[in-house]
Amino acid sequence: MPIRRLSESMVNRIAAGEVVERPASVVKELVENAIDAGSTRIEVVTSGGGASLIRVSDDGSGIAADDLPFAVERHCTSKLESGLDDIRSLGFRGEALASVGAAARLMVTSRQSGASQAAEITVEGGRVGAVKPAALSAGTRVEVRDLFFSTPARLKFLKSERAESAAITDVVKRLAMVNPSIRFALSGSDRGSLDYPAVSGTDGQRVRLTQVLGADFADNAVAIDASREGARLSGFAGLPTFNRANSLAQFLFVNGRPVRDKLLLGAVRGAYSDLLKHGRYPVATLFIGLDPAEVDINVHPTKADVRFRDPGLIRGLIVGAIREAFATSGMRSSTTATGATVTAFRRGPIRPPASTTAWQAPLTPTGNAVANGLAEPAQVAFEGGAVPSADSRYNEPVPEPSAHPLGAARAQLHETYVVAQTADGLVIVDQHAAHERLVYERLKRGLESRGVGRQILLIPEVVDLPAEDVDRLVDRADELATLGLVIERFGPGAVAVRESPSMLGAIDASSLLSDIAEQIAEWDTAGGLRDKLEQVASTMACHGSVRAGRRLKPEEMDALLREMEATPNASECNHGRPTYIELKLADIERLFGRR
Ligand code: ADP
Ligand code: MG
């Protein structure tokens, strides 16, 4: 067979397959064109999941009648003035309209600002018609019908109308999030409609996110704003307790462009790694701004992947800023769950009180707990930790509740929950979850200062383990020692524990070591040693924590509260569960119908 040049329409059809994957990709290209044209309002109408109709109308700069044939021709663009290193528009490849024209019936109607009349052009399966006069007061209207009629193979791959329509909604929402000053409307026979009015001002970004994601998100997120070497990160990071079962609620933008980039998603995962349990995902909306020369968006025709010149910088910026934000945002736990609890209280059936509930115990300050605590053997929850001993601190009068955000401990219930009185309500702390976080943060501090306090075991504890686990642990003995765990090989199938972190108190060495060995087995090459050691620290913290079910003395309870206030991230345990919940007096009054 001789080699022949492909016909223009065949080239277009092949290329169209890359740009126009599904109806949502058409919507993305058309809305991006409208944004590039400086529009203040963009309206999208669809039907049949976008396969039968997509219409995008804008009030932007419009296209001159003479330019219409170029607009629909491949490799024609009015953008890309200063080269691929300096891309400031969303489009630059000049192939969206040509691709859509090759795959569907396309009609572009436009009136350039200042022009006396509008004009239109049609393209059907790649055949370009003549420019004709048309009626349109301003801006541009692009109508796409019968998508993929000319490439039936592609048509077969479309998902259900509902799935395609949902993908379109997602595209519009993402572009709306990053363009708060533009009004977005989306409607059609295949969907419920959306309408986000334009918002401006310093609060505009937050208001738009509330429009798109609902008020819950803003209520349960902390604002992020950080810069590093010319790169800026802004947006909102959801509280760890406000998590999801998948990563779909992570919205990432680079220079105003929605992206789904592995590096960025990985960085977000890293930032939350010790705040969320496996299989749960954070909710976040993050905007990265950097010099266009520092990022390559021309990786793929759909422009959803990006390459950073300095990936480490971007990863560090994201991980650092999110962690910092949680560490400094202080005591905050997801309010949404609390709201639901109160509702449940109020709506719940009235039951006769059970005979021995804690609520019947005298609620004089710590009365019950004192009695219980004194009966306990003198095992202290904070062995070896930074908490001052009882004598130095707890002979002082009980502090005014208002003096501390988490209040003054009043009682322990079910040997699991510490109840404290605050200035305007009460706090219930899950003692195991809270202690786990405190131990973990201490281990991390110890990692930083290379000084985790150890205790030497008088008789080394010998733990039998499978030979592979022994090898794994012994290979990492040096790193484990930085965390206060000193081990050595004890024959082929055993490890001897010589020293353990003193803050953990008595540990079950055998289950701790097998958990750590399992973790080491999963270490891959990605991620720094620091991250990995933090994971080990998290495992150790879980093993060393005050179990639910242990009675605490009043001073131990107060010490727990005070240390929580002084510890970063103390409102969630290492698995992302809240460590405490708060009920305001106002809520309690509502429960009793006093308000
Ligand atoms: P690109 O956006 O990469 O330049 P497109 O094929 O998407 O390529 O569009 C081709 C050209 O058509 C654009 O460069 C622009 O000049 C013009 N254009 C497309 N859509 C619009 C619009 N909504 N408003 C104004 N001009 C538009
Ligand atoms: Mg474009």
Side-chain angles (χ1 to χ4, degrees):
M1 279 274 275
I3 299 175
R4 267 192 232 108
R5 187 179 289 275
L6 290 174
S7 73
E8 168 86 9
S9 83
M10 187 55 78
V11 170
N12 281 347
R13 237 180 272 176
I14 292 170
E18 289 189 326
V19 183
V20 183
E21 208 179 321
R22 60 192 296 193
S25 18
V26 175
V27 172
K28 172 173 176 293
E29 293 295 336
L30 301 185
V31 173
E32 287 186 352
N33 280 345
I35 294 170
D36 281 344
S39 308
T40 65
R41 42 176 308 170
I42 300 173
E43 197 185 326
V44 183
V45 177
T46 64
S47 76
S52 21
L53 170 73
I54 294 168
R55 184 166 54 225
V56 177
S57 317
D58 66 53
D59 64 352
S61 56
I63 308 169
D66 292 347
D67 276 347
L68 279 175
F70 293 115
V72 299
E73 189 179 323
R74 180 164 306 279
H75 306 314
C76 291
T77 178
S78 58
K79 308 165 192 177
L80 206 62
E81 287 145 33
S82 33
L84 278 173
D85 281 349
D86 189 25
I87 293 169
R88 295 183 186 269
S89 52
L90 294 169
F92 58 88
R93 299 171 61 106
E95 57 186 0
L97 290 182
S99 297
V100 174
R105 300 183 215 279
L106 168 74
M107 181 193 281
V108 182
T109 311
S110 193
R111 179 164 174 178
Q112 197 171 37
S113 33
S116 59
Q117 211 189 1
E120 69 181 32
I121 191 167
T122 53
V123 187
E124 299 213 348
R127 272 199 309 280
V128 182
V131 176
K132 295 181 195 150
L136 186 72
S137 56
T140 302
R141 183 177 64 218
V142 180
E143 208 170 84
V144 180
R145 290 184 183 273
D146 305 326
L147 183 61
F148 298 136
F149 86 95
S150 58
T151 50
R154 194 43 85 87
L155 198 54
K156 283 196 212 111
F157 283 99
L158 288 188
K159 302 213 176 90
S160 68
E161 174 176 316
R162 189 207 291 228
E164 295 299 340
S165 142
I168 290 172
T169 309
D170 187 63
V171 160
V172 173
K173 283 187 169 179
R174 283 175 195 264
L175 287 166
M177 283 184 208
V178 69
N179 290 287
S181 58
I182 301 177
R183 172 176 184 169
F184 282 84
L186 170 62
S187 61
S189 57
D190 55 349
R191 62 176 58 260
S193 51
L194 297 177
D195 194 347
Y196 306 137
V199 281
S200 56
T202 48
D203 205 28
Q205 185 64 73
R206 197 189 58 78
V207 175
R208 173 54 60 86
L209 292 181
T210 305
Q211 292 171 344
V212 177
L213 298 174
D216 267 6
F217 174 66
D219 288 347
N220 289 289
V222 293
I224 305 282
D225 196 349
S227 302
R228 199 182 276 190
E229 291 169 42
R232 170 154 183 237
L233 178 73
S234 62
F236 292 85
L239 293 175
T241 44
F242 186 70
N243 55 46
R244 296 283 160 85
N246 57 47
S247 66
L248 294 180
Q250 290 167 29
F251 303 97
L252 306 170
F253 304 86
V254 174
N255 285 351
R257 188 185 297 280
V259 296
R260 285 203 67 79
D261 184 79
K262 285 218 175 62
L263 169 90
L264 299 179
L265 291 170
V268 173
R269 205 181 322 118
Y272 283 85
S273 64
D274 56 8
L275 297 168
L276 280 180
K277 99 169 163 236
H278 193 71
R280 301 299 300 179
Y281 297 82
V283 181
T285 306
L286 298 173
F287 306 96
I288 296 166
L290 74 178
D291 183 336
E294 291 294 313
V295 56
D296 183 2
I297 45 183
N298 192 22
V299 180
H300 187 265
T302 60
K303 296 169 281 184
D305 288 313
V306 287
R307 298 252 160 83
F308 295 99
R309 188 166 286 184
D310 185 354
L313 169 73
I314 302 299
R315 189 188 153 89
L317 177 62
I318 293 176
V319 175
I322 294 180
R323 291 195 169 185
E324 172 75 17
F326 288 135
T328 54
S329 68
M331 297 281 120
R332 256 187 94 188
S333 192
S334 164
T335 57
T336 307
T338 317
T341 309
V342 170
T343 315
F345 261 123
R346 258 190 295 177
R347 300 218 181 111
I350 298 169
R351 295 193 199 90
S355 53
T356 55
T357 59
W359 295 105
Q360 288 174 322
L363 280 179
T364 49
T366 60
N368 225 21
V370 171
N372 290 337
L374 291 178
E376 278 289 293
Q379 183 196 356
V380 179
F382 300 96
E383 283 156 313
V387 178
S389 71
D391 341 57
S392 70
R393 189 155 166 184
Y394 300 104
N395 296 334
E396 292 160 21
V398 176
E400 275 301 298
S402 57
H404 298 293
L406 291 181
R410 291 291 193 234
Q412 184 190 27
L413 304 181
H414 301 286
E415 282 83 45
T416 303
Y417 302 106
V418 174
V419 181
Q421 177 176 335
T422 59
D424 60 349
L426 69 87
V427 157
I428 304 176
V429 176
D430 176 334
Q431 67 188 45
H432 173 70
H435 193 250
E436 183 176 322
R437 164 60 65 184
L438 300 185
V439 170
Y440 173 59
E441 292 294 334
R442 267 196 231 152
L443 282 168
K444 277 206 299 191
R445 278 197 304 264
L447 262 185
E448 256 155 48
S449 59
R450 316 203 114 257
V452 173
R454 306 172 187 167
Q455 62 191 15
I456 299 174
L457 305 186
L458 288 180
I459 307 165
E461 190 165 346
V462 176
V463 177
D464 293 322
L465 287 167
E468 321 80 77
D469 282 354
V470 172
D471 290 343
R472 282 185 191 116
L473 289 165
V474 172
D475 282 350
R476 298 291 176 172
D478 288 349
E479 283 107 351
L480 296 177
T482 62
L483 281 166
L485 189 66
V486 178
I487 56 164
E488 62 190 41
R489 188 185 293 275
F490 198 82
V495 163
V497 183
R498 301 227 166 254
E499 296 174 39
S500 69
S502 38
M503 74 184 78
L504 295 191
I507 49 166
D508 173 354
S510 122
S511 75
L512 174 62
L513 287 184
S514 50
D515 281 3
I516 296 178
E518 201 170 281
Q519 227 165 11
I520 295 177
E522 284 172 11
W523 285 6
D524 48 20
T525 44
L529 181 62
R530 179 61 200 265
D531 281 356
K532 291 167 183 161
L533 287 178
E534 287 187 359
Q535 287 167 20
V536 173
S538 171
T539 305
M540 288 177 30
C542 189
H543 279 266
S545 300
V546 192
R547 296 281 148 196
R550 191 163 100 54
R551 283 185 190 158
L552 298 180
K553 293 185 237 173
E555 58 267 30
E556 289 178 322
M557 293 192 270
D558 269 317
L560 181 68
L561 299 180
R562 299 295 81 79
E563 197 180 349
M564 285 172 74
E565 285 158 0
T567 301
N569 305 313
S571 48
E572 291 97 29
C573 78
N574 307 353
H575 308 295
R577 290 190 303 272
T579 54
Y580 73 92
I581 54 167
E582 187 173 9
L583 271 180
K584 297 285 182 202
L585 263 188
D587 288 329
I588 300 174
E589 284 164 4
R590 266 186 222 113
L591 292 175
F592 286 103
R594 281 164 171 255
R595 275 194 182 218

